[in-house]
Amino acid sequence: MRSKDKISYFYDGDVGSVYFGPNHPMKPHRLCMTHHLVLAYGLHSKMEVYRPHKAYPVELAQFHSADYVEFLNRITPDTQHLFPSEMARYNLGEDCPVFDNLFEFCQIYAGGTIDAARRLNNQLCDIAINWAGGLHHAKKCAASGFCYINDLVLGILELLKYHPRVLYIDIDVHHGDGVEEAFYFTDRVMTVSFHKYGDKFFPGTGDMKDTGERDGRFYSINVPLKDGIDDGSFNRLFKTIISKVVETYLPGAIVLQCGADSLAGDRLGCFNLSIDGHAECVRFVKKFNLPLLVTGGGGYTKENVARCWALETGVLLDTELPNEIPDNDYIKYFGPDYSLKLPGGHIENLNSKSYIGTIKMQVMENLRCLQHAPGVQMQEVPPDFYIPDFDEDEQNPDERVDQHTQDKHIQRDDEYYEGDHDNDNHTDDA
């Protein structure tokens, strides 16, 4: 057992100030709310807090097609009407609108996950957290499900430079289709997604029989669930499957996507998980003592998203948080009871014992087909694929150095108290 985990935490206030538009369920402002809870509980003093670099287009193109990245970089709300065929080709529009500072938003959340992976690779921390990341639906050449750039795939590609095998775990209510698809043909990444499946629920993939192909056969694990699953059923299934996966696959690192739309009461979700039940998955994965990259994901009742990710930051720090939320800039969102913990829901649980038993049996059978962890030959580690920090002596004085380059390492205490106010224009999003 490690004496004390060293934790790196990535946050940039700019990521929470973008606005997807009126009536759109995705509210990046939830990230500001999460960060303010982290500050209010004093958790920032127990971690190293970093502002991520903005990922360069060339870094995003490690997974995404260069033409798609270039279009995201170029398109604006004022010019989108000029490019109807590209908008359709790249699936931009209703679910994935073009908004002001879209590309910078992608650069920041992707940069956070890439930086998190690099710090883990260089053994500068044991756990790295980027709540802005976890946008698991984005495809190589298209946006999908509110996701434009798939930071998870980029982070996993980074981890694969140092680790023969990486395990990806997804507890968002939606199937982690973009990550599964990216690694469907390889045994270097095992993807395990617990999600609602059926009733034409988005994205419509994630059947138990989808297990990977070619070298990746049996390395994709899908756990399709029905409405109303509760803490007990979910946690038992999660622990049984994940312990067997880790024992069989022997990953060198784990990426955990903590989508909070699997919580009870989520605007787009249909599960009954309490915050404690959701956090129990994080606590369990932490116990394996493997390099761990933790991201956010979905979550559309924003005060509950903030509660969840703040509590899970505490779990990763082995710090129990008082249930009474301390005063902070967003305290009004947490009324009337101002408590951190959210109880489970009351949707009828359609997951019978026999249904859960069938899933467990099938997953175990697929894991038995693996026999043992694949023997991946490691070549020389390629260099980190990004433009290095500037050397002042070599820097071109004509090129403007932006604020992000100047303050790679941010101060913890006084960073985010200005300008983080909600830009929802008082839209009701309960």
Side-chain angles (χ1 to χ4, degrees), residues 64-97:
H64 294 283
S65 63
D67 61 311
Y68 172 54
V69 172
E70 192 273 329
F71 187 74
L72 283 180
N73 195 1
R74 186 161 49 96
I75 196 69
T76 68
D78 295 335
T79 60
Q80 59 182 332
H81 68 281
L82 302 172
F83 302 98
S85 63
E86 288 92 339
M87 291 286 291
R89 183 187 320 148
Y90 300 130
N91 196 34
L92 297 169
E94 257 177 68
D95 271 4
C96 302

Side-chain angles (χ1 to χ4, degrees), residues 287-348:
K287 285 180 181 159
F288 291 109
N289 289 324
L290 288 164
L292 177 59
L293 199 169
V294 179
T295 73
Y300 306 100
T301 301
K302 60 186 181 175
E303 60 277 14
N304 293 345
V305 175
R307 286 180 164 101
C308 183
W309 292 344
L311 185 118
E312 287 171 353
T313 304
V315 165
L316 293 165
L317 287 164
D318 291 316
T319 302
E320 187 145 350
L321 304 183
N323 194 34
E324 187 176 343
I325 292 177
D327 191 26
N328 68 86
D329 281 12
Y330 300 103
I331 192 70
K332 69 175 193 285
Y333 287 94
F334 301 105
D337 58 351
Y338 305 100
S339 59
L340 183 64
K341 295 193 174 174
L342 172 83
H346 305 289
I347 297 172
E348 186 188 355

Side-chain angles (χ1 to χ4, degrees), residues 345-388:
H346 305 289
I347 297 172
E348 186 188 355
N349 186 357
L350 301 180
N351 300 273
S352 65
K353 277 189 178 164
S354 66
Y355 180 71
I356 298 264
T358 305
I359 291 175
K360 199 181 297 183
M361 200 168 61
Q362 187 59 61
V363 169
M364 293 303 169
E365 183 56 40
N366 291 347
L367 283 168
R368 272 192 291 278
C369 296
L370 294 184
Q371 301 301 323
H372 55 82
V376 179
Q377 291 297 306
M378 285 299 279
Q379 310 300 321
E380 187 180 343
V381 175
D384 283 348
F385 200 94
Y386 96 104
I387 293 82

